[in-house]
Amino acid sequence: MPSSFQTLFRRSAALLALVILGACAQLPQNVDRPVSHAIASPTTGTALADLVQQRRQADKARYESGFLLLGGPQAAYGSRLALVEGAQQTLDLQYYAIHADASTGRLVRGLRAAAERGVRVRVLLDDFHTTGRDALVLGLAFIPNIEMRLFNPLAGSRDSTFSRLFNSIDDASRIQQRMHNKLFLADNVLGVTGGRNLGDAYFGNATNGNFVDVDVLAAGPIVQDLSRSFDSYWNNERAYPVQSLVTREELQAMRDRAKKADQELVAQATRDHDEKPSDDAPPTAEQRARAWDEKPLDLRTATFVWAPAVMLADKPGKIAADSASGPDTPKAPGLVVSQPDDKAGTSRGVASLEAASDLAANGDTVVEGLLQLIGQARADLLIISPYFVPGKDMLQAFSAARARGVRIRVLTNSLASNDAPVAHVGYARHREALLKMGIELYELRSEQSNFGSVFGSSGGSGGGAGAGSGSGSGSVTGESRAMLHSKVLVMDGRLLVVGSMNLDLRSQLQNTEIALLIRSNELSRAASEQIERGMDERSWHVELVDGSLVWRAPKDSKLPDATSEPDTSATLRLMLKLFGPLAPDELL
């Protein structure tokens, strides 16, 4: 993992490029985008559809959709392997980032095998990170029965993100808006959504640092809502087939450059006797072995919790369509809110969820919809947001909730655990005000080994509510820097929200997001118990004592309390203090 200073430098350089550089590269015109949709009747006819029906009947479930929390990295990875291997008709993937590494390599092989047996595969990827080694995933587009599109692409060379920013500066307002949604859908009947992108660091397989993340495996009609959201992005004018942007020859040249760069990195590491390769290095044999040794989640024994749920999804129009859009061009925000899928709509759970979804629909975006829900909290809010930069609307929502007596606890990254330290500035500048408001703040401790997930060391959610049986341990091999990436909200012990959104201005105003709202006391209770455990045992509790910040050490850690950002260097703290004020909240 790059050092905090390196990450800060890269982000600062990108922001600087957006301000001072000029460019002329253009995207292709008159692109052919054949329209396609999810299969229409997914309830029967495939092994996965039949399995969902059998599981629901065996559980004598009152509700039609089921959910399994995926906290541990093995459960998260195993669920995707199960969907790839079990799909018979369609696989639809929508992601902000797909990294060319060991974990993704096995998934890609699975996608190729699925395509060979006749499964239609569609992959929709945000274009921001398709540079360097990661550009190699674009090879999927040239495999029969696999289609791949890039959303909101940047013009210019794929040698580096910086060069593409250089070539797209005349379109700055569009290129800083990204598709942040995460979906992994099989046969329109089972699907995974949540915080994880695809890559080693999201599945506990990275050498230098791994993300603490949460997904949910959904089954039943709610997946059809997720598929409709996917289709709206796939068929949008902002989605460009890879072939319209990259030729086979260019892709082969990228492979050759990546191979040469890999050889140089390995040689350099050997000369320097590095124990841990850099993030840019090719996968090690050990990483490949771990990915190939992982087992698919046994869907026949996984414990689903059947509950009413709705989907919140930003419309793709939140991102400007063309280079003519500028900072003064009106956006076309819009929030898609599905309806509870349960037929017995008179039940108390469904009725309360319908009220919640109607309330959320008053917002123009996913984050604004969640702020509408926060406005109805009565007793307790538990929030996990790795990048927590509260704007005016969020601060008002928190203040109003506190005035009603609502207890608010927020788990976010510490400076040391934040993979984007410049984003920490936007949180830190509001930290004292949040504490004075009565909000309880917890910051994940970075230097942990065997950290597992916020949801404990099990492969699932723990507490018996949707634990991923047969998925193996949720811990990470060896010592690893822990970085929070989960996006979760639990309201009043009865409403659980898992999605792709952060509580920051970027998610609110610029990036597109998606979330599931699940009305379940059982899942909410299990999630709350594990989040509280993560706060107590894995996080610093930040307090304001006599006007100064104090970081209380995690329970039973035997660490001393701290009076400055723990586990960080004086150099990094100074850099953020000097340059942080130059970055506005909405760009963090």
Side-chain angles (χ1 to χ4, degrees), residues 249-293:
E249 292 73 22
E250 289 171 331
L251 184 62
Q252 184 58 52
M254 285 188 275
R255 288 196 188 100
D256 294 340
R257 288 195 295 271
K259 183 177 180 180
K260 181 179 180 181
D262 288 350
Q263 292 171 344
E264 292 174 352
L265 284 168
V266 171
Q268 182 66 41
T270 302
R271 287 194 299 270
D272 296 343
H273 304 288
D274 287 347
E275 293 182 6
K276 294 183 179 180
S278 71
D279 271 355
D280 298 325
T284 65
E286 183 181 3
Q287 286 174 303
R288 289 194 181 96
R290 282 201 298 265
W292 260 258
D293 286 345

Side-chain angles (χ1 to χ4, degrees), residues 393-450:
D393 293 342
M394 295 181 209
L395 291 173
Q396 288 178 344
F398 291 144
S399 178
R402 287 293 302 136
R404 297 193 304 274
V406 176
R407 184 186 186 188
I408 303 176
R409 288 169 288 174
V410 178
L411 173 61
T412 189
N413 272 304
S414 63
L415 175 55
S417 69
N418 202 322
D419 69 309
V422 71
H424 190 80
V425 174
Y427 156 66
R429 64 171 55 125
H430 296 292
R431 188 161 41 194
E432 290 191 19
L434 291 166
L435 290 170
K436 289 177 181 177
M437 195 184 294
I439 294 176
E440 300 170 51
L441 298 178
Y442 294 82
E443 299 178 5
L444 185 74
R445 181 170 176 253
S446 169
E447 302 303 322
Q448 301 183 45
S449 62
N450 234 17

Side-chain angles (χ1 to χ4, degrees), residues 27 33 124-125 127 149-153 174 177 232-241 245 315-322 325 331-332 512:
L27 294 173
R33 300 176 179 85
L124 180 60
L125 176 63
D127 191 44
R149 296 183 182 181
L150 298 178
F151 199 86
N152 197 24
R174 178 183 65 84
Q177 301 167 4
S232 71
Y233 282 81
W234 179 260
N235 296 312
N236 189 271
E237 61 183 317
R238 299 155 187 81
Y240 287 68
L245 300 166
K315 290 182 180 179
K318 188 176 179 181
I319 294 178
D322 54 46
S325 301
K331 297 179 185 177
T512 64

Side-chain angles (χ1 to χ4, degrees), residues 50-101:
D50 292 343
L51 182 146
V52 170
Q53 285 293 89
Q54 292 165 6
R55 293 305 310 278
R56 182 175 176 272
Q57 292 171 2
D59 292 341
K60 296 181 173 57
R62 179 178 186 179
Y63 302 107
E64 295 189 358
S65 293
F67 303 93
L68 171 67
L69 281 176
L70 305 169
Q74 276 73 22
Y77 194 60
S79 66
R80 290 165 171 85
L81 290 175
L83 297 186
V84 168
E85 295 184 6
Q88 292 178 312
Q89 293 188 354
T90 62
L91 282 165
D92 291 333
L93 282 64
Q94 180 180 10
Y95 280 94
Y96 170 65
I98 300 178
H99 300 290
D101 54 25

Side-chain angles (χ1 to χ4, degrees), residues 120-172:
R120 183 195 70 182
V121 180
R122 298 184 295 175
V123 181
L124 180 60
L125 176 63
D126 183 88
D127 191 44
F128 192 76
H129 290 288
T130 58
T131 56
R133 277 190 55 82
D134 290 338
L136 300 183
V137 301
L138 303 183
L140 282 169
F142 298 92
I143 296 172
N145 221 26
I146 298 180
E147 297 176 77
M148 188 174 191
R149 296 183 182 181
L150 298 178
F151 199 86
N152 197 24
L154 283 70
S157 169
R158 295 182 182 273
D159 289 335
S160 71
T161 300
F162 185 84
S163 67
R164 301 175 75 207
L165 290 171
F166 183 98
N167 284 300
S168 303
I169 190 59
D170 58 338
D171 208 3

Side-chain angles (χ1 to χ4, degrees), residues 445-523:
R445 181 170 176 253
S446 169
E447 302 303 322
Q448 301 183 45
S449 62
N450 234 17
F451 65 85
S453 82
V454 171
F455 288 97
S457 60
S458 69
S461 67
S469 56
S471 61
S473 168
S475 62
V476 175
T477 302
E479 292 197 8
S480 175
R481 176 188 175 211
M483 302 171 293
L484 189 65
H485 200 258
S486 315
K487 302 93 164 52
V488 180
L489 183 148
V490 185
M491 189 174 86
D492 292 338
R494 58 186 175 85
L495 183 66
L496 173 66
V497 182
V498 178
S500 68
M501 68 289 150
N502 299 295
L503 285 186
D504 65 3
L505 291 177
R506 180 168 289 279
S507 283
Q508 181 180 356
L509 302 176
Q510 297 179 12
N511 294 347
T512 64
E513 308 287 357
I514 192 166
L516 284 181
L517 277 61
I518 307 169
R519 173 60 172 86
S520 169
N521 292 359
E522 184 179 359
L523 283 177

Side-chain angles (χ1 to χ4, degrees), residues 1 65-66 71 73 75 100 160 182 187 208 231 257 266 273 354-355 358 409 534 559:
M1 188 61 54
S65 293
S160 71
K182 284 100 174 169
D187 288 348
N208 296 338
D231 286 344
R257 288 195 295 271
V266 171
H273 304 288
E354 285 180 338
D358 290 344
R409 288 169 288 174
L559 293 169

